[in-house]
Amino acid sequence: DVQLQASGGGLVQAGGSLRLSCAASGFRFRDYTIAWFRQAPGKEREGVSSIRSSGGSTVYGDSVKGRFTISRDNAKDTVYLQMNSLKPEDTAVYYCAASKNLILSSLLRYRSYAHWGQGTLVTVSS
């Protein structure tokens, strides 16, 4: 049974940092692309970042480039999202998702992902 557990959210002031974790179980983690999405109230789910299975190549949404870094530890079946220089507009529920065999153009499209975690809330105060 595929499970993804996101954690690490919280309240932080603008300019601060947080690190989110996505712990996976129930599937062969190293074979899957893992992504972070976020959804703010009243807005569509937005692709934040994705990291591929083999080689760990990464992509980022334009709004987080240069501030967020995604990484994975295949030995721990965990993906991390280091978020620096946080802004109030980063406030959202952050979800991790997993899928296989994704083409480059689909890595930040939420409909591409078959498995989802429960989300963790990030609140950035001004």
Side-chain angles (χ1 to χ4, degrees):
D1 189 24
V2 174
Q3 291 193 358
L4 298 166
Q5 182 74 37
S7 62
L11 174 63
V12 64
Q13 288 189 333
S17 298
L18 280 175
R19 188 176 80 155
L20 305 184
S21 299
C22 175
S25 62
F27 62 101
R28 186 174 167 85
F29 179 79
R30 64 181 64 246
D31 291 345
Y32 281 68
T33 293
I34 309 294
W36 287 96
F37 291 81
R38 67 186 182 186
Q39 190 163 20
K43 294 189 176 182
E44 289 191 357
R45 193 163 294 193
E46 175 190 10
V48 174
S49 184
S50 178
I51 185 165
R52 286 213 175 172
S53 54
S54 59
S57 59
T58 59
V59 293
Y60 295 92
D62 289 341
S63 61
V64 306
K65 281 179 182 176
R67 300 188 298 123
F68 291 11
T69 302
I70 192 170
S71 61
R72 67 188 295 157
D73 185 339
N74 286 340
K76 295 183 178 180
D77 290 357
T78 301
V79 166
Y80 304 97
L81 185 69
Q82 178 66 42
M83 306 187 295
N84 298 329
S85 303
L86 283 162
K87 305 175 182 180
E89 50 263 45
D90 294 318
T91 295
V93 177
Y94 283 70
Y95 301 90
C96 57
S99 200
K100 291 177 68 173
N101 303 322
L102 299 181
I103 60 175
L104 182 61
S105 61
S106 69
L107 293 179
L108 292 182
R109 296 178 182 171
Y110 72 87
R111 294 183 189 276
S112 301
Y113 289 82
H115 308 288
W116 290 84
Q118 87 291 358
T120 185
L121 176 61
V122 172
T123 304
V124 184
S125 63
S126 58

